[in-house]
């Protein structure tokens, strides 16, 4: 797996260390325990992401602070993080490679160097797309729903050998010489999942090629303007269609046609009971996240996997056109 990760990051000249975990969630949790952040650290998290992103912050005793996202890329960007930092203290930033589209790692490394605020990237759905920068650790997921799926599992990739070793030890009860040197846990990747991962490395190019064909068919049928701008260069983990304000109508039409859809990641995190009352960009709970609010009525997740036929895609596209045209 380390060689596979290195191939994904050809511009990184620093040796990278890859640690396997039972999930990307446990990888994030143990990173926060091992990172040296202060107790109760305030960590900026995009309000548009899977709940595990913010939960990994909260469950380790830290404080998630929600930010809005860029209107074009749907990312928490360095510019957004700088603006949040001007309005309140932050100890770390946890940007997300949303829907599997990669982040600009050079920009995030520059942000960390400039501000002294740690950055850890949640690239759960972006294995194969997201390269790794020597100065910014990255978390990947190997869950069955991800492009590189093995059933369940996660990876931490970092150039920091000491951090990698500490996280690895914590994932195995912090054992050293047969005794627990700290309070660890059982977050190791199952051997069966690791075996599946080795097999998946061999078939991953073919899987991605087929997913690229499926993506091209969708774009041809529905038009480029309805998809994320990075779909021109990357195959996403999940495929979001911009209905231009008709998300509810498209959802109803597809559901009535027995086509399963997902509205990734809506409702947004601030509307989850677990995160009500969380700070918004360091300014308090009364502030809005206008971009995320607008995306609620726009984005619908379409069926997207390597086993879709051309007829399947045409059927989905026909249902959408009847609703949006």
């Amino acid at each position: 797996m380390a060689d596979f990760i290195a191939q994904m990051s050809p511009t990184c000249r620093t040796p990278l260390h890859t640690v396997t975990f039972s999930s990307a969630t446990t990888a994030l949790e143990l990173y926060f325990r091992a990172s040296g952040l202060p107790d109760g650290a305030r960590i900026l998290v995009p309000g548009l992401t899977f709940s595990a992103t913010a939960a990994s912050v909260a469950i380790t005793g830290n404080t998630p602070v929600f930010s809005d996202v860029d209107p074009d890329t749907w990312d928490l960007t360095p510019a957004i993080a700088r603006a949040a930092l001007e309005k309140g203290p932050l100890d770390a930033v946890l940007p997300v490679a949303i829907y599997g589209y990669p982040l600009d790692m050079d920009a995030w490394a520059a942000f960390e160097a400039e501000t002294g605020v740690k950055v850890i990237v949640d690239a759960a759905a972006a294995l194969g797309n997201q390269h790794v920068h020597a100065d910014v650790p990255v978390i990947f997921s190997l869950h069955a729903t991800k492009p590189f799926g093995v059933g369940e599992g996660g990876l931490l990739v970092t150039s920091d050998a000491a951090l990698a070793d500490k996280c690895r030890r914590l994932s195995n009860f912090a054992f050293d010489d047969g005794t627990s040197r700290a309070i660890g846990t059982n977050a190791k990747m199952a051997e069966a999942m690791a075996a599946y991962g080795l097999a998946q490395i061999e078939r991953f190019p073919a899987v991605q090629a087929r997913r690229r064909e499926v993506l091209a068919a969708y774009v041809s049928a529905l038009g480029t303007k309805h998809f994320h701008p990075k779909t021109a260069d990357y195959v996403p983990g999940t495929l979001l269609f911009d209905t231009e304000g008709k998300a509810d109508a498209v959802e109803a039409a597809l559901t009535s046609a027995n086509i399963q859809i997902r509205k990734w990641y809506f409702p947004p995190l601030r509307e989850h009971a677990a995160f009500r009352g969380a700070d918004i960009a360091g300014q308090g709970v009364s502030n809005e996240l206008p971009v995320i609010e607008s995306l609620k009525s726009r984005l619908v997740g379409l069926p997207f996997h390597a086993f879709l036929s051309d007829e399947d895609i045409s059927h989905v596209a026909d249902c959408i056109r009847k609703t949006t045209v």
Side-chain angles (χ1 to χ4, degrees), residues 1-39:
M1 182 58 76
D3 290 342
F4 177 77
I5 295 294
Q7 292 173 12
M8 298 296 102
S9 303
T11 62
C12 183
R13 303 305 179 190
T14 304
L16 296 172
H17 304 272
T18 301
V19 186
T20 58
F21 295 90
S22 57
S23 68
T25 305
T26 56
L28 278 168
E29 291 172 5
L30 293 185
Y31 165 82
F32 286 126
R33 288 190 55 194
S35 63
L37 289 168
D39 292 341

Side-chain angles (χ1 to χ4, degrees), residues 16-291:
L16 296 172
H17 304 272
T18 301
V19 186
T20 58
F21 295 90
S22 57
S23 68
T25 305
T26 56
L28 278 168
E29 291 172 5
L30 293 185
Y31 165 82
F32 286 126
R33 288 190 55 194
S35 63
L37 289 168
D39 292 341
R42 291 171 56 80
I43 301 175
L44 192 67
V45 178
L48 180 62
T49 184
F50 186 54
S51 63
T53 307
S56 68
V57 173
I59 204 168
T60 50
N62 300 304
T63 301
V65 179
F66 292 134
S67 81
D68 209 351
V69 296
D70 181 88
D72 298 317
T73 65
W74 315 332
D75 296 327
L76 162 56
T77 64
I80 293 171
R82 286 188 180 93
L85 192 58
E86 290 176 357
K87 296 168 183 173
L90 296 171
D91 298 292
V93 181
L94 179 55
V96 175
I98 194 69
Y99 306 127
Y101 296 108
L103 299 176
D104 183 341
M105 297 297 279
D106 290 337
W108 278 112
F111 169 87
E112 181 171 311
E114 173 192 331
T115 64
V117 175
K118 285 189 177 183
V119 178
I120 170 72
V121 167
D122 178 348
L127 185 57
N129 287 344
Q130 182 66 67
H131 84 273
V132 180
H133 192 286
D135 297 330
V136 182
V138 178
I139 301 291
F140 295 105
S141 173
L142 307 182
H143 188 270
T145 59
K146 303 300 187 289
F148 192 107
V150 304
E152 186 60 277
L155 305 173
L156 164 66
V157 183
T158 177
S159 64
D160 187 336
L163 173 67
D165 183 65
K166 187 172 183 180
C167 288
R168 186 180 293 109
R169 289 176 184 274
L170 286 172
S171 76
N172 189 30
F173 306 104
F175 278 151
D176 187 10
D177 296 327
T179 64
S180 295
R181 299 300 180 91
I183 302 299
T185 188
N186 185 5
K188 303 184 299 296
M189 177 181 283
E191 291 179 355
M193 300 300 104
Y196 298 155
L198 293 175
Q200 186 73 308
I201 289 174
E202 299 299 322
R203 63 188 297 272
F204 190 61
V207 172
Q208 282 294 77
R210 176 56 191 152
R211 289 167 61 85
R212 191 172 291 109
E213 291 173 354
V214 172
L215 175 62
Y218 267 124
V219 172
S220 176
L222 294 168
T224 57
K225 75 171 185 175
H226 292 287
F227 296 100
H228 193 286
K230 291 181 184 177
T231 54
D233 301 306
Y234 299 98
V235 181
T238 52
L239 185 63
L240 275 292
F241 177 82
D242 189 345
T243 68
E244 299 181 328
K246 298 180 179 179
D248 289 342
V250 169
E251 179 183 15
L254 293 180
T255 300
S256 67
N258 294 317
I259 298 170
Q260 185 180 35
I261 63 100
R262 294 287 296 272
K263 296 180 75 172
W264 316 92
Y265 293 105
F266 298 101
L269 290 184
R270 67 176 304 188
E271 296 180 22
H272 293 210
F275 303 114
R276 286 181 187 145
D279 273 2
I280 304 300
Q283 302 175 66
V285 297
S286 63
N287 291 273
E288 296 298 322
L289 302 178
V291 175

